[in-house]
Amino acid sequence: MRGKVSLVTGAGSGIGRATALALAENGATIVIADMDFAAAEETAALITAASSDPDTGAAHTAPLALSCDVTRPAEVARVFAAIDDNFGGLDYAVNNAGICTEVGPISDYSLSSFRTMMSVNVMGVFTCLQHEVSAMRRRGGGAIVNLSSIFGQVSGPGYSAYTVTKHAVEGLTKSVALENAEHGIRVNCVRPSVVQTPLMTGKHVNAAPGSKEWSAYENANPTKRNAQPEEIAAAIVWQLSDEASFVSGGGINLDGAYLAR
Ligand SMILES: NC(=O)c1ccc[n+]([C@@H]2O[C@H](COP(=O)([O-])OP(=O)(O)OC[C@H]3O[C@@H](n4cnc5c(N)ncnc54)[C@H](O)[C@@H]3O)[C@@H](O)[C@H]2O)c1
């Protein structure tokens, strides 16, 4: 992956940050796009620190941290202009920025929350895909991974809006893979179950480790545990890599056998 220009949206936290670090460890050149610019810069600093470690570091091009709200098309366009200006093209993209701002029964669910989740998790991915595909066609190929979820396949009580968004991500993965297969662009997704990140442990889902909500998620998993972001990042790196050269239009379940029942 040495020198492969790799965009990770939402890489200021959780799975996105772990993915950016894992790609950098493999020699890729990282572009971090997050609406939380301070968090994006923190990820860039972590990559720089890891790459300069004399024992483990792989010298590579410095990461680029950018402020971008994926729901704002003009900000997304600026990210791709910056990628062209700085690196002259794009090889890999991870459409990771995503939110879950409300969990609750559909009858009480706020429409504004539903709109916000559609706007980040679906429109944001759609807008990024438009630019990624154009950039990769100019490059002569590339690979893209979208963040789906087990809720891209099934659902759970309280998760109607999130489920809609992740089912949409699965549909986008298939259609964009088909449209671009002949252009050497592979498009896949990953389907994590519960991962220990601020999305799960923060105020909206409110399942911090040690809480009864966290234990309930652990107990609902056949492995009786939840995942760490690095376990998701490893699969994303593989999907992007040449090792997965004939893998497109599908997804990997990263769920401790949750979907096998
Ligand atoms: N954590 C889980 O259990 C889990 C499970 C399945 C799928 N996922 C998916 O993985 C992805 C990453 O989730 P995470 O758990 O790492 O979340 P997280 O909250 O730890 O990180 C999300 C990052 O995205 C950024 N972000 C949010 N809205 C944005 C926007 N509009 N524009 C740009 N950046 C934005 C945030 O600033 C943050 O840095 C999401 O798509 C999520 O739906 C997470």
Side-chain angles (χ1 to χ4, degrees):
M1 293 187 157
R2 184 151 306 280
K4 296 284 188 190
V5 180
S6 311
L7 168 66
V8 186
T9 68
S13 173
I15 296 168
R17 174 174 282 178
T19 302
L21 282 160
L23 285 166
E25 204 179 306
N26 281 278
T29 297
I30 310 300
V31 181
I32 300 145
D34 201 300
M35 68 187 298
D36 182 343
F37 183 56
E41 284 193 309
E42 252 177 56
T43 301
L46 289 170
I47 291 171
T48 304
S51 69
S52 47
D53 182 316
D55 294 327
T56 56
H60 53 66
T61 311
L64 177 65
L66 299 167
S67 171
C68 170
D69 178 342
V70 295
T71 68
R72 299 186 173 186
E75 292 187 19
V76 174
R78 278 203 291 277
V79 166
F80 287 87
I83 290 173
D84 269 348
D85 287 350
N86 283 272
F87 307 117
L90 179 70
D91 299 292
Y92 300 148
V94 183
N95 294 315
N96 164 81
I99 55 172
C100 182
T101 49
E102 188 173 334
V103 179
I106 191 163
S107 45
D108 302 338
Y109 211 91
S110 97
L111 287 179
S112 80
S113 202
F114 180 50
R115 264 189 220 102
T116 307
M117 284 164 68
M118 287 294 284
S119 149
V120 179
N121 296 6
V122 183
M123 288 295 291
V125 173
F126 193 96
T127 314
C128 288
L129 280 167
Q130 291 183 307
H131 288 274
E132 288 157 7
V133 161
S134 302
M136 289 177 188
R137 283 194 185 195
R138 289 197 297 276
R139 192 79 146 178
I144 300 172
V145 176
N146 298 322
L147 264 290
S148 179
S149 157
I150 50 170
F151 288 167
Q153 296 285 312
V154 297
S155 190
Y159 282 94
S160 55
Y162 189 73
T163 299
V164 169
T165 68
K166 292 304 179 182
H167 275 62
V169 167
E170 297 263 347
L172 273 172
T173 301
K174 289 177 196 163
S175 55
V176 181
L178 285 168
E179 267 181 32
N180 292 283
E182 284 181 84
H183 297 278
I185 303 170
R186 297 182 299 103
V187 188
N188 289 291
C189 67
V190 286
R191 304 184 187 110
S193 53
V194 172
V195 188
Q196 188 177 337
T197 72
L199 181 144
M200 290 305 300
T201 61
K203 65 177 181 207
H204 297 301
V205 181
N206 206 11
S211 68
K212 73 175 185 337
E213 289 80 7
W214 183 255
S215 306
Y217 285 121
E218 285 185 319
N219 286 327
N221 194 290
T223 60
K224 304 296 172 213
R225 73 170 177 90
N226 296 322
Q228 292 301 315
E230 293 73 20
E231 296 179 282
I232 314 306
I236 295 172
V237 169
W238 178 78
Q239 282 178 318
L240 292 174
S241 77
D242 288 348
E243 300 291 312
S245 53
F246 205 52
V247 178
S248 193
I252 302 181
N253 302 339
L254 299 161
D255 65 343
Y258 186 95
L259 290 172
R261 287 180 293 203

